[in-house]
């Protein structure tokens, strides 16, 4: 029975982890995955509603996802709520739009609600091959298309990356 369990465990390997914050590196065997956030985080404080063209041309938050290993890895990038001060009120996602530029390709101005709700807002998912780097720029803004009172409300977010690698040994 023990030999059978060991044979099953050895014949199949599964790796799963999460990365968040700035400059995170995970190394396991042949896999090395790097999340490198080069900006000061993702936040809106005292912002006002702006047009999509203004939002897409605002200063983005930038980050890279690098697979320094030689095996392909499946990944999902999430945008999670970050902690805010007790005196602040978090702005509702229905007032927010975003544009994610991946390797030079814009996603277009999209309501944040289309990504899901916290903590399951999916910005991007796919497979990154060994030796590849995905470069991202994220613009986030309050839309001028939604009626409502969001005065004095804030948004603070952080990136989270979940990766998995499945393979036969």
């Amino acid at each position: 029975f023990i030999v059978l369990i060991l044979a099953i465990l050895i014949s199949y390997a599964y790796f799963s982890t999460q990365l968040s914050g700035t400059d995170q590196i995970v190394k396991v065997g042949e896999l090395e995955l790097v999340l490198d956030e080069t900006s000061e985080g993702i936040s809106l404080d005292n912002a006002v509603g702006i047009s999509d063209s203004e939002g897409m041309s605002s200063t983005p938050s930038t980050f890279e996802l690098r697979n320094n290993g030689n095996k392909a890895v499946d990944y999902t990038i999430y945008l999670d709520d970050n902690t805010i001060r007790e005196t602040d009120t978090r702005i509702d996602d229905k007032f927010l739009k975003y544009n994610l530029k991946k390797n030079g390709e814009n996603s277009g101005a999209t309501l944040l609600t289309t990504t899901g709700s916290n903590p399951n807002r999916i910005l991007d998912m796919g497979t990154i091959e060994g030796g590849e780097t995905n470069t991202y720029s994220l613009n986030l803004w309050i839309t001028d298309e939604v009626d409502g009172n969001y005065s004095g409300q804030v948004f603070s977010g952080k990136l989270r990356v979940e990766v998995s690698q499945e393979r036969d040994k």
Side-chain angles (χ1 to χ4, degrees), residues 42-71:
I42 303 159
S43 63
L44 294 172
D45 196 3
N46 296 321
V48 296
I50 57 176
S51 68
D52 291 348
S53 62
E54 290 174 302
M56 290 181 65
S57 64
S58 63
T59 303
S61 296
T62 58
F63 58 99
E64 289 183 341
L65 186 62
R66 263 187 330 268
N67 184 350
N68 291 333
N70 57 17
K71 301 289 183 187

Side-chain angles (χ1 to χ4, degrees), residues 91-150:
I91 192 166
D92 193 294
D93 286 0
K94 70 181 180 182
F95 297 115
L96 301 174
K97 278 196 168 179
Y98 78 99
N99 174 60
L100 183 68
K101 183 187 285 187
K102 176 183 175 182
N103 299 328
E105 303 249 344
N106 284 317
S107 65
T110 309
L111 282 170
L112 190 59
T113 54
T114 63
T115 64
S117 59
N118 185 60
N120 296 308
R121 291 188 201 102
I122 297 175
L123 293 178
D124 188 41
M125 62 190 305
T127 301
I128 185 168
E129 297 294 327
E132 283 188 0
T133 298
N134 288 340
T135 303
Y136 296 91
S137 297
L138 175 65
N139 299 82
L140 185 72
W141 66 94
I142 297 174
T143 181
D144 63 356
E145 299 171 359
V146 179
D147 292 330
N149 183 9
Y150 49 79

